[in-house]
Amino acid sequence: MTDPGCIFCGIAAGTAPAHRIAEDDRVVAFLDLFPAAEGHTLIIPRVHAENLYEAGEEDLAAVAVWSRRIAHAIRRALAPDGLGVFQLNGSAAGQTVFHYHMHLIPRRAGTPLALHGRRRGEEAELASVAERIRKVLARETPASA
Ligand code: 5GP
Ligand code: ZN
């Protein structure tokens, strides 16, 4: 269920800090600490699974549902021009944390595509953007939820 050496298991358990966006009994969503763009969010199953091959179907379904909910909230809160939603499997694909996670990366037209950020986000900025997304989530249920 939990890998003691895994940072995302620590975040799911609440023993490692993160700017949390949403959670339920299966899934936790939080901001990426090295954002590729403002609002870069990760969604993980609570149960440790390394990648798409290992994760359970119900956990994958829950991540998909939360991807859509948080996509709506990011669109409303931050008004990006687009939103990248993707995940990576294996270091050859660019995966760096080996606990399955979905990336949601707001995109601005004309900026270069980047899978990963280069610098750690400022705590105050992360706290502020997390609050903006959480506020929208709290007041809105997406259409045909
Ligand atoms: P991957 O390359 O595995 O698809 O993405 C891993 C992501 O996790 C990267 O975007 C990286 O910035 C982020 N990350 C790595 N360590 C931490 C951490 O301790 N906390 C948070 N919130 N994000 C992390
Ligand atoms: Zn884990």
Side-chain angles (χ1 to χ4, degrees):
M1 290 279 283
T2 298
D3 176 339
C6 172
I7 182 66
F8 286 0
C9 283
I11 289 173
T15 54
H19 293 276
R20 296 163 96 92
I21 300 291
E23 59 196 287
D24 65 9
D25 54 352
R26 246 177 217 288
V27 164
V28 181
F30 53 93
L31 291 185
D32 195 297
L33 195 53
F34 295 81
E38 184 185 52
H40 183 169
T41 299
L42 303 175
I43 308 176
I44 63 169
R46 289 184 185 275
V47 172
H48 182 86
E50 190 167 314
N51 52 37
L52 179 66
Y53 304 110
E54 308 291 333
E57 290 189 350
E58 290 187 39
D59 279 344
L60 294 173
V63 169
V65 167
W66 275 107
S67 297
R68 181 171 184 272
R69 289 178 187 159
I70 294 170
H72 276 279
I74 287 174
R75 187 168 66 170
R76 182 60 70 102
L78 306 177
D81 299 317
L83 182 71
V85 181
F86 64 89
Q87 57 87 216
L88 305 169
N89 299 282
S91 45
Q95 187 177 7
T96 58
V97 176
F98 295 92
H99 178 133
Y100 175 90
H101 52 278
M102 191 67 74
H103 291 263
L104 275 68
I105 304 188
R107 296 277 313 136
R108 297 283 172 202
T111 59
L113 274 172
L115 298 182
H116 296 109
R118 288 174 190 278
R119 66 169 187 96
R120 188 175 166 137
E122 299 289 339
E123 282 303 310
E125 285 173 20
L126 293 171
S128 154
V129 76
E131 180 62 18
R132 287 164 68 193
I133 299 169
R134 278 197 303 266
K135 264 191 190 156
V136 176
L137 270 174
R139 71 169 187 254
E140 285 189 13
T141 308
S144 65

